[in-house]
Amino acid sequence: MSRKRQAIVVASALIAAMAGVPVLVNAASASQTSPPPAADPEVKRSGTGSYIVQLDDSPVAEYDGDIAGLAATKVLPGGKLLKTAAPVVDYVKHLAGERDHVLSKVPGVKKLYDYSYTYAGFSAEMSYDDAVKLAKSSGVKSVEPNEIEHADTVDTPRFLGMSGKGGTWQQAGGVDKAGDGVIIGMIDSGYVPERPSVAPIKTSKQSDALVAKKWKGTCQAGEEAPVTCNNKVIGARYFDKGIGNRPIPEEFRSPRDYGGHGTHTASTAAGNYGVDMTVMGRDYGKGSGMAPHARLAIYKALWAVDASGGGSGTDADIVAAIDAAVSDGVDVINYSISGSGSTYVNATGLAFMRAAKAGVFVATSAGNTGPGDATVGKTYPWVMSVANGTHDRDVQTTVTLGNGKSYVGAGVGSGTPQAPVILAKDAGLAGADPANLVLCQAGLLDPAKVTGKIVVCDRGVNARVDKSLQVKNAGGVGMILLNITPGTLDSDLHSVPTVHLDDTKAPEVKAYVGGTANPTATISPGTPVRVTAPKVASSSSRGPSPAGNGDLLKPDIMAPGTNVLAATTAFSAAGGEYAFMSGTSMSTPHIAGIAAVLKSKHPTWSPMAIKSALMTTATDKDTSGKPIQNDSGSPATPFGYGAGQVQPKYGMDPGLVYDSTYTDWTKFVCGSGQVPSTHELCANGKIDLSDLNYPTIAIGDLAGKQTVTRTVTNVGRTPEVYFPKVEGLKGLKVTVTPKLLITMPGRTTTYKVTVENNGAPLEQYSFGRLVWKSAKHTVASTLAIKPLTVKAPVQVNGTGTGGSVQVPVTAGYAGTLNTSALGLNPVTVGEAALKNPGGVAFPTASPKANDHVAKFTVNVPAGTTYARFSTFDADYPAGTDLDVFVYKAGTNTLLGSSTGGSAEEEVNLPQPAGGQVDVYVDLYAGASQQQVKLNHWQIQNAQGNLTASPASQPVQVAGQVTVTANWSGLTAGTRYLGQLHFTDGADGSGSTIVRVDS
């Protein structure tokens, strides 16, 4: 779907061998300007002109009664938040008073929302100066920018084992009990109330009473195209104060869905059973959501902001929707929206943490920025992050060329008879840009050349369905869509019959069409077929987690997300009611619906128990019994599929679960180092992140040897004895104690796992599984371990022209630790004048400079150990939003990107081979004219201004020592970057970046 705006992505340094000397070439005009006033380091500037303010007071979900006269409202383990309870009402009034007091310090600001239940504070439109003032005021804990997030985008019950004998629905008591009494809150783009998937359902007095007891929400009809709720969709609300006037005129100021994303996710999670689904005149049978008897509550926080209809929403609106959903009484939240993977403590993450504390299960999309490493988003341990897998029901279309050769691809159309075929590159208007023409972009095809023909278009940049629309507008009768690089094949609803082929077939098709006189082609109708599945979709975001140093495995699980058939809007269904859509947006509601079925069957289970049940019963095998692969054909890893493909029928009775609580999560956050030790989240201390009681075990920084602890709870009805078995992890010695677990119903049992490097390759991950097996159950935990030569901080920071900082180092071996210093290198700065901020996603498949995008070409010397490309908030006025993209020079091979919601961006390339790279700086939002600065460093040699002491010292396995980084003689007012390089005297090595602002 739309682009994911993530704070910092560290790129894998897979640069092809290159050579050269440092040179800076600027493709945009360059000049010098006086620097704007410096930004306050505690407050990031907002690109939307509004901010989210967090009060010192706790939200309702965690207030413990420390204010005289106000009773505690915190949610106890296993409890629910009841907003009508007298203590809650009184405390919400107290928070209102605190908000008024804080707001009195900045008169004239426009408040957007109050937050009370999962987040204590408010959002408001205000100047950057007012935001800084509030951040320094008593009663305020934090102020952060309100950023824009984006949507991440019938036979599945059979594929997942929901239907059929022994399936999940049968275990739940039948289809009419699947999700009965459970409320799923959909935070998305709204819904279409007329769709049969959300029509009224037959309920029982018992389930009606259960829902009425906890439901405290409302049905907000809206101003434009109002909606009406029923006993299926029991509530609907919309949140638009943060998005303001950005939505297009066609959007509805109501909970009604325009773009179609929200209707699709809602019907996937809990659409009614046995709904006839027809696409472009073809009957695809009867469809159903995962929890057909669950109730839905709609929270519209995504809005169509351009003609594509893709959903975008601001953090202010999203946090308001989360706050409302939890206080309304939902049991499950589906969140198919983008978000950062580099932080645990932004407003959305904290709101979801309080939601989980209040007993709400949260399913989130892992993101659609794969297949690169460390691209996974929303890595909070208290939510379930979902990857996108392919379905074993594919819709295939065959194209037969005039030479008799046939190629099978994806497509749902009715097909075309034999017709002339032409390459898009040969079908353009005079003067059409060749790079855009091959992509069939708007207004470039010549009707005189296209009418009556099938057009061959390349995938990339513009939407797939827009390409077929351009063909239709030019008079074409069909389209052959070609992947140029490995990727998914998508059965979209196209304007003309279309076949989508993979990259291996593209050269042959182009060779025939371009090299044959009067070439022809025939496109067959789309036909449903069975294929081997699942495979990890190329677009699905991958681990390791950008946050947590790899000590938490994300994504958590995989579900079908490619070519998912569900209800949608007429806009997305080419005038119909149903469509195929792809993305982690589509896989996530599968998990939300499955969680609702488990919650209905096991109402006392916590969100983490449900999460554990699904993860420990997932499979890492496909339908042929072989290990799951990527859709490109390469072997997949847990960084693509997490614990594996969900198997809900086994999750209904998992045997053992790994539970965790709010206190555990606060210790985790404190241990992550993302908050200072004085922060309230550190009140209960901290843990090593690997020790969170999680269903998977990840150690991203194994320094020789490490022991982790896990506690399991028997959720069965009988005592059981479990025996452990370790699979995989070649070269690692794994010891599990005790050697067996005797578990009693409802009781917990603790065990320890010691992992020791016994010859495994350093600096790379090894994967395996720890399986506890009893006579009845199999409980599997995925293992992801990365042995290091040394465990050291990724970066240390210092200030001043001279100084020092201590660096703690844990050794993964016994011997001598040698430390050398490279740098410190002063920053090199390139400048460019940009204008007319784009406000649209950067075309990553076809990068180029324009009036709001500057291109800098930088030579990275051979032997460079580390390259960094940065922009800084302090260099720009309020509201500036920049994005940075780094490519292998002269290509569309993306090496790294940073697309946060401000001007603070950073791309790192560890161990580049050397040579030219193209760096694009995109002025996404801000002033109409803006001078931009690209800061970059290439670390290679010692400069004499940074030393390490001691240069060598003895170390023991898992023993910690200290190295001191000393610097001197720096030029004041300059940003420097250096590196400490650690070695064991052989092949093993490690490093720490040293950043000094002199």
Side-chain angles (χ1 to χ4, degrees), residues 55-58 63 66-70 87-101 116 120:
L55 302 177
D56 277 336
D57 288 315
S58 301
Y63 169 60
D66 59 351
I67 301 174
L70 291 175
V88 173
V89 173
D90 291 342
Y91 186 64
V92 169
K93 290 179 180 178
H94 163 77
L95 290 178
E98 292 298 299
R99 273 191 292 265
D100 291 343
H101 174 69
S116 300

PDB file of all heavy atoms in Angstrom, residues 55-58 63 66-70 87-101 116 120:
ATOM      1  N   LEU A  55       0.970  13.845  29.571  1.00  0.00           N
ATOM      2  CA  LEU A  55       1.006  14.394  30.925  1.00  0.00           C
ATOM      3  C   LEU A  55       1.864  13.534  31.844  1.00  0.00           C
ATOM      4  O   LEU A  55       2.120  12.362  31.575  1.00  0.00           O
ATOM      5  CB  LEU A  55      -0.407  14.480  31.493  1.00  0.00           C
ATOM      6  CG  LEU A  55      -1.435  15.323  30.718  1.00  0.00           C
ATOM      7  CD1 LEU A  55      -2.804  15.223  31.384  1.00  0.00           C
ATOM      8  CD2 LEU A  55      -0.986  16.782  30.634  1.00  0.00           C
ATOM      9  N   ASP A  56       2.279  14.137  32.964  1.00  0.00           N
ATOM     10  CA  ASP A  56       3.010  13.368  33.978  1.00  0.00           C
ATOM     11  C   ASP A  56       2.122  12.294  34.602  1.00  0.00           C
ATOM     12  O   ASP A  56       2.596  11.239  35.010  1.00  0.00           O
ATOM     13  CB  ASP A  56       3.530  14.289  35.090  1.00  0.00           C
ATOM     14  CG  ASP A  56       4.847  14.955  34.695  1.00  0.00           C
ATOM     15  OD1 ASP A  56       5.548  14.392  33.836  1.00  0.00           O
ATOM     16  OD2 ASP A  56       5.155  16.022  35.232  1.00  0.00           O
ATOM     17  N   ASP A  57       0.827  12.575  34.678  1.00  0.00           N
ATOM     18  CA  ASP A  57      -0.088  11.612  35.301  1.00  0.00           C
ATOM     19  C   ASP A  57      -0.232  10.362  34.439  1.00  0.00           C
ATOM     20  O   ASP A  57      -0.102  10.400  33.216  1.00  0.00           O
ATOM     21  CB  ASP A  57      -1.467  12.247  35.501  1.00  0.00           C
ATOM     22  CG  ASP A  57      -1.456  13.288  36.605  1.00  0.00           C
ATOM     23  OD1 ASP A  57      -0.875  13.014  37.671  1.00  0.00           O
ATOM     24  OD2 ASP A  57      -2.016  14.380  36.394  1.00  0.00           O
ATOM     25  N   SER A  58      -0.553   9.250  35.101  1.00  0.00           N
ATOM     26  CA  SER A  58      -0.749   7.989  34.400  1.00  0.00           C
ATOM     27  C   SER A  58      -2.113   7.969  33.708  1.00  0.00           C
ATOM     28  O   SER A  58      -3.055   8.630  34.156  1.00  0.00           O
ATOM     29  CB  SER A  58      -0.676   6.823  35.386  1.00  0.00           C
ATOM     30  OG  SER A  58       0.562   6.800  36.048  1.00  0.00           O
ATOM     31  N   TYR A  63      -3.198   3.947  36.412  1.00  0.00           N
ATOM     32  CA  TYR A  63      -3.191   4.796  37.597  1.00  0.00           C
ATOM     33  C   TYR A  63      -3.362   3.942  38.852  1.00  0.00           C
ATOM     34  O   TYR A  63      -4.316   3.175  38.974  1.00  0.00           O
ATOM     35  CB  TYR A  63      -4.302   5.841  37.508  1.00  0.00           C
ATOM     36  CG  TYR A  63      -4.529   6.596  38.801  1.00  0.00           C
ATOM     37  CD1 TYR A  63      -3.503   7.345  39.369  1.00  0.00           C
ATOM     38  CD2 TYR A  63      -5.749   6.526  39.465  1.00  0.00           C
ATOM     39  CE1 TYR A  63      -3.694   8.016  40.559  1.00  0.00           C
ATOM     40  CE2 TYR A  63      -5.956   7.201  40.653  1.00  0.00           C
ATOM     41  CZ  TYR A  63      -4.922   7.931  41.207  1.00  0.00           C
ATOM     42  OH  TYR A  63      -5.111   8.579  42.401  1.00  0.00           O
ATOM     43  N   ASP A  66      -2.249   6.945  43.704  1.00  0.00           N
ATOM     44  CA  ASP A  66      -1.305   7.703  44.534  1.00  0.00           C
ATOM     45  C   ASP A  66      -1.709   9.153  44.743  1.00  0.00           C
ATOM     46  O   ASP A  66      -0.972   9.928  45.353  1.00  0.00           O
ATOM     47  CB  ASP A  66       0.100   7.625  43.935  1.00  0.00           C
ATOM     48  CG  ASP A  66       0.162   8.183  42.518  1.00  0.00           C
ATOM     49  OD1 ASP A  66      -0.904   8.463  41.943  1.00  0.00           O
ATOM     50  OD2 ASP A  66       1.286   8.327  41.998  1.00  0.00           O
ATOM     51  N   ILE A  67      -2.881   9.566  44.239  1.00  0.00           N
ATOM     52  CA  ILE A  67      -3.382  10.924  44.449  1.00  0.00           C
ATOM     53  C   ILE A  67      -4.485  10.883  45.507  1.00  0.00           C
ATOM     54  O   ILE A  67      -5.443  10.108  45.390  1.00  0.00           O
ATOM     55  CB  ILE A  67      -3.918  11.525  43.140  1.00  0.00           C
ATOM     56  CG1 ILE A  67      -2.814  11.550  42.080  1.00  0.00           C
ATOM     57  CG2 ILE A  67      -4.477  12.925  43.369  1.00  0.00           C
ATOM     58  CD1 ILE A  67      -3.299  12.003  40.715  1.00  0.00           C
ATOM     59  N   ALA A  68      -4.342  11.689  46.525  1.00  0.00           N
ATOM     60  CA  ALA A  68      -5.311  11.699  47.624  1.00  0.00           C
ATOM     61  C   ALA A  68      -6.718  11.971  47.100  1.00  0.00           C
ATOM     62  O   ALA A  68      -6.937  12.900  46.330  1.00  0.00           O
ATOM     63  CB  ALA A  68      -4.920  12.756  48.656  1.00  0.00           C
ATOM     64  N   GLY A  69      -7.661  11.124  47.512  1.00  0.00           N
ATOM     65  CA  GLY A  69      -9.047  11.294  47.133  1.00  0.00           C
ATOM     66  C   GLY A  69      -9.444  10.655  45.823  1.00  0.00           C
ATOM     67  O   GLY A  69     -10.619  10.693  45.455  1.00  0.00           O
ATOM     68  N   LEU A  70      -8.480  10.079  45.132  1.00  0.00           N
ATOM     69  CA  LEU A  70      -8.786   9.424  43.859  1.00  0.00           C
ATOM     70  C   LEU A  70      -8.372   7.965  43.939  1.00  0.00           C
ATOM     71  O   LEU A  70      -7.179   7.643  44.040  1.00  0.00           O
ATOM     72  CB  LEU A  70      -8.056  10.111  42.703  1.00  0.00           C
ATOM     73  CG  LEU A  70      -8.532  11.524  42.336  1.00  0.00           C
ATOM     74  CD1 LEU A  70      -7.629  12.119  41.258  1.00  0.00           C
ATOM     75  CD2 LEU A  70      -9.979  11.504  41.852  1.00  0.00           C
ATOM     76  N   PRO A  87     -14.676   5.298  40.061  1.00  0.00           N
ATOM     77  CA  PRO A  87     -13.278   5.753  40.156  1.00  0.00           C
ATOM     78  C   PRO A  87     -12.707   6.203  38.818  1.00  0.00           C
ATOM     79  O   PRO A  87     -11.913   7.135  38.758  1.00  0.00           O
ATOM     80  CB  PRO A  87     -12.544   4.518  40.691  1.00  0.00           C
ATOM     81  CG  PRO A  87     -13.581   3.716  41.384  1.00  0.00           C
ATOM     82  CD  PRO A  87     -14.829   3.917  40.578  1.00  0.00           C
ATOM     83  N   VAL A  88     -13.112   5.530  37.738  1.00  0.00           N
ATOM     84  CA  VAL A  88     -12.629   5.911  36.417  1.00  0.00           C
ATOM     85  C   VAL A  88     -13.179   7.274  36.027  1.00  0.00           C
ATOM     86  O   VAL A  88     -12.454   8.150  35.538  1.00  0.00           O
ATOM     87  CB  VAL A  88     -13.014   4.850  35.367  1.00  0.00           C
ATOM     88  CG1 VAL A  88     -12.669   5.332  33.959  1.00  0.00           C
ATOM     89  CG2 VAL A  88     -12.311   3.542  35.659  1.00  0.00           C
ATOM     90  N   VAL A  89     -14.461   7.485  36.247  1.00  0.00           N
ATOM     91  CA  VAL A  89     -15.088   8.773  35.930  1.00  0.00           C
ATOM     92  C   VAL A  89     -14.408   9.900  36.700  1.00  0.00           C
ATOM     93  O   VAL A  89     -14.085  10.958  36.135  1.00  0.00           O
ATOM     94  CB  VAL A  89     -16.594   8.727  36.247  1.00  0.00           C
ATOM     95  CG1 VAL A  89     -17.213  10.117  36.093  1.00  0.00           C
ATOM     96  CG2 VAL A  89     -17.303   7.728  35.336  1.00  0.00           C
ATOM     97  N   ASP A  90     -14.151   9.684  37.987  1.00  0.00           N
ATOM     98  CA  ASP A  90     -13.496  10.712  38.809  1.00  0.00           C
ATOM     99  C   ASP A  90     -12.083  11.004  38.323  1.00  0.00           C
ATOM    100  O   ASP A  90     -11.654  12.162  38.256  1.00  0.00           O
ATOM    101  CB  ASP A  90     -13.449  10.267  40.271  1.00  0.00           C
ATOM    102  CG  ASP A  90     -14.820  10.239  40.922  1.00  0.00           C
ATOM    103  OD1 ASP A  90     -15.752  10.872  40.365  1.00  0.00           O
ATOM    104  OD2 ASP A  90     -14.970   9.577  41.970  1.00  0.00           O
ATOM    105  N   TYR A  91     -11.350   9.954  37.970  1.00  0.00           N
ATOM    106  CA  TYR A  91      -9.968  10.164  37.554  1.00  0.00           C
ATOM    107  C   TYR A  91      -9.903  10.840  36.186  1.00  0.00           C
ATOM    108  O   TYR A  91      -9.024  11.669  35.935  1.00  0.00           O
ATOM    109  CB  TYR A  91      -9.207   8.833  37.516  1.00  0.00           C
ATOM    110  CG  TYR A  91      -7.737   9.008  37.236  1.00  0.00           C
ATOM    111  CD1 TYR A  91      -6.910   9.695  38.127  1.00  0.00           C
ATOM    112  CD2 TYR A  91      -7.181   8.538  36.061  1.00  0.00           C
ATOM    113  CE1 TYR A  91      -5.562   9.888  37.859  1.00  0.00           C
ATOM    114  CE2 TYR A  91      -5.829   8.722  35.781  1.00  0.00           C
ATOM    115  CZ  TYR A  91      -5.031   9.394  36.685  1.00  0.00           C
ATOM    116  OH  TYR A  91      -3.713   9.575  36.426  1.00  0.00           O
ATOM    117  N   VAL A  92     -10.845  10.522  35.291  1.00  0.00           N
ATOM    118  CA  VAL A  92     -10.895  11.199  33.994  1.00  0.00           C
ATOM    119  C   VAL A  92     -11.153  12.691  34.192  1.00  0.00           C
ATOM    120  O   VAL A  92     -10.584  13.538  33.480  1.00  0.00           O
ATOM    121  CB  VAL A  92     -11.968  10.556  33.093  1.00  0.00           C
ATOM    122  CG1 VAL A  92     -12.221  11.412  31.850  1.00  0.00           C
ATOM    123  CG2 VAL A  92     -11.552   9.152  32.681  1.00  0.00           C
ATOM    124  N   LYS A  93     -11.987  13.045  35.174  1.00  0.00           N
ATOM    125  CA  LYS A  93     -12.214  14.463  35.485  1.00  0.00           C
ATOM    126  C   LYS A  93     -10.920  15.118  35.972  1.00  0.00           C
ATOM    127  O   LYS A  93     -10.611  16.265  35.615  1.00  0.00           O
ATOM    128  CB  LYS A  93     -13.302  14.602  36.549  1.00  0.00           C
ATOM    129  CG  LYS A  93     -14.701  14.245  36.068  1.00  0.00           C
ATOM    130  CD  LYS A  93     -15.722  14.396  37.190  1.00  0.00           C
ATOM    131  CE  LYS A  93     -17.121  14.030  36.709  1.00  0.00           C
ATOM    132  NZ  LYS A  93     -18.124  14.117  37.810  1.00  0.00           N
ATOM    133  N   HIS A  94     -10.151  14.376  36.770  1.00  0.00           N
ATOM    134  CA  HIS A  94      -8.861  14.895  37.234  1.00  0.00           C
ATOM    135  C   HIS A  94      -7.931  15.148  36.058  1.00  0.00           C
ATOM    136  O   HIS A  94      -7.267  16.207  35.994  1.00  0.00           O
ATOM    137  CB  HIS A  94      -8.221  13.906  38.213  1.00  0.00           C
ATOM    138  CG  HIS A  94      -6.761  14.143  38.431  1.00  0.00           C
ATOM    139  ND1 HIS A  94      -6.301  15.166  39.237  1.00  0.00           N
ATOM    140  CD2 HIS A  94      -5.667  13.500  37.933  1.00  0.00           C
ATOM    141  CE1 HIS A  94      -4.970  15.153  39.227  1.00  0.00           C
ATOM    142  NE2 HIS A  94      -4.565  14.157  38.452  1.00  0.00           N
ATOM    143  N   LEU A  95      -7.878  14.215  35.114  1.00  0.00           N
ATOM    144  CA  LEU A  95      -7.021  14.403  33.951  1.00  0.00           C
ATOM    145  C   LEU A  95      -7.467  15.612  33.131  1.00  0.00           C
ATOM    146  O   LEU A  95      -6.626  16.346  32.586  1.00  0.00           O
ATOM    147  CB  LEU A  95      -7.039  13.147  33.075  1.00  0.00           C
ATOM    148  CG  LEU A  95      -6.338  11.911  33.635  1.00  0.00           C
ATOM    149  CD1 LEU A  95      -6.490  10.743  32.661  1.00  0.00           C
ATOM    150  CD2 LEU A  95      -4.863  12.176  33.900  1.00  0.00           C
ATOM    151  N   ALA A  96      -8.774  15.837  33.064  1.00  0.00           N
ATOM    152  CA  ALA A  96      -9.280  16.996  32.339  1.00  0.00           C
ATOM    153  C   ALA A  96      -8.768  18.289  32.971  1.00  0.00           C
ATOM    154  O   ALA A  96      -8.382  19.233  32.277  1.00  0.00           O
ATOM    155  CB  ALA A  96     -10.806  16.986  32.315  1.00  0.00           C
ATOM    156  N   GLY A  97      -8.755  18.313  34.303  1.00  0.00           N
ATOM    157  CA  GLY A  97      -8.222  19.481  34.997  1.00  0.00           C
ATOM    158  C   GLY A  97      -6.744  19.686  34.742  1.00  0.00           C
ATOM    159  O   GLY A  97      -6.274  20.819  34.564  1.00  0.00           O
ATOM    160  N   GLU A  98      -5.993  18.588  34.715  1.00  0.00           N
ATOM    161  CA  GLU A  98      -4.555  18.684  34.442  1.00  0.00           C
ATOM    162  C   GLU A  98      -4.315  19.180  33.020  1.00  0.00           C
ATOM    163  O   GLU A  98      -3.406  19.983  32.766  1.00  0.00           O
ATOM    164  CB  GLU A  98      -3.896  17.316  34.648  1.00  0.00           C
ATOM    165  CG  GLU A  98      -3.876  16.858  36.098  1.00  0.00           C
ATOM    166  CD  GLU A  98      -3.078  17.806  36.970  1.00  0.00           C
ATOM    167  OE1 GLU A  98      -1.872  17.973  36.705  1.00  0.00           O
ATOM    168  OE2 GLU A  98      -3.667  18.397  37.896  1.00  0.00           O
ATOM    169  N   ARG A  99      -5.116  18.712  32.081  1.00  0.00           N
ATOM    170  CA  ARG A  99      -4.983  19.174  30.701  1.00  0.00           C
ATOM    171  C   ARG A  99      -5.237  20.678  30.602  1.00  0.00           C
ATOM    172  O   ARG A  99      -4.514  21.417  29.933  1.00  0.00           O
ATOM    173  CB  ARG A  99      -5.955  18.423  29.794  1.00  0.00           C
ATOM    174  CG  ARG A  99      -5.430  17.121  29.253  1.00  0.00           C
ATOM    175  CD  ARG A  99      -6.337  16.566  28.169  1.00  0.00           C
ATOM    176  NE  ARG A  99      -7.619  16.141  28.702  1.00  0.00           N
ATOM    177  CZ  ARG A  99      -7.901  14.887  29.073  1.00  0.00           C
ATOM    178  NH1 ARG A  99      -6.993  13.950  28.957  1.00  0.00           N
ATOM    179  NH2 ARG A  99      -9.080  14.580  29.544  1.00  0.00           N
ATOM    180  N   ASP A 100      -6.325  21.122  31.271  1.00  0.00           N
ATOM    181  CA  ASP A 100      -6.662  22.547  31.239  1.00  0.00           C
ATOM    182  C   ASP A 100      -5.531  23.388  31.815  1.00  0.00           C
ATOM    183  O   ASP A 100      -5.210  24.470  31.299  1.00  0.00           O
ATOM    184  CB  ASP A 100      -7.958  22.805  32.014  1.00  0.00           C
ATOM    185  CG  ASP A 100      -9.178  22.217  31.313  1.00  0.00           C
ATOM    186  OD1 ASP A 100      -9.074  21.902  30.104  1.00  0.00           O
ATOM    187  OD2 ASP A 100     -10.221  22.059  31.974  1.00  0.00           O
ATOM    188  N   HIS A 101      -4.915  22.900  32.893  1.00  0.00           N
ATOM    189  CA  HIS A 101      -3.809  23.627  33.524  1.00  0.00           C
ATOM    190  C   HIS A 101      -2.627  23.757  32.572  1.00  0.00           C
ATOM    191  O   HIS A 101      -2.025  24.833  32.426  1.00  0.00           O
ATOM    192  CB  HIS A 101      -3.377  22.904  34.799  1.00  0.00           C
ATOM    193  CG  HIS A 101      -2.154  23.499  35.433  1.00  0.00           C
ATOM    194  ND1 HIS A 101      -2.153  24.740  36.029  1.00  0.00           N
ATOM    195  CD2 HIS A 101      -0.880  23.013  35.541  1.00  0.00           C
ATOM    196  CE1 HIS A 101      -0.927  25.012  36.481  1.00  0.00           C
ATOM    197  NE2 HIS A 101      -0.143  23.975  36.205  1.00  0.00           N
ATOM    198  N   SER A 116      -7.250   9.719  27.652  1.00  0.00           N
ATOM    199  CA  SER A 116      -7.351   9.432  29.082  1.00  0.00           C
ATOM    200  C   SER A 116      -7.105   7.978  29.442  1.00  0.00           C
ATOM    201  O   SER A 116      -6.601   7.697  30.527  1.00  0.00           O
ATOM    202  CB  SER A 116      -8.751   9.820  29.595  1.00  0.00           C
ATOM    203  OG  SER A 116      -9.009  11.191  29.395  1.00  0.00           O
ATOM    204  N   ALA A 120      -2.313   9.353  28.661  1.00  0.00           N
ATOM    205  CA  ALA A 120      -2.784  10.521  29.405  1.00  0.00           C
ATOM    206  C   ALA A 120      -2.238  11.777  28.751  1.00  0.00           C
ATOM    207  O   ALA A 120      -1.025  12.024  28.805  1.00  0.00           O
ATOM    208  CB  ALA A 120      -2.347  10.440  30.860  1.00  0.00           C
TER     209      ALA A 120
END
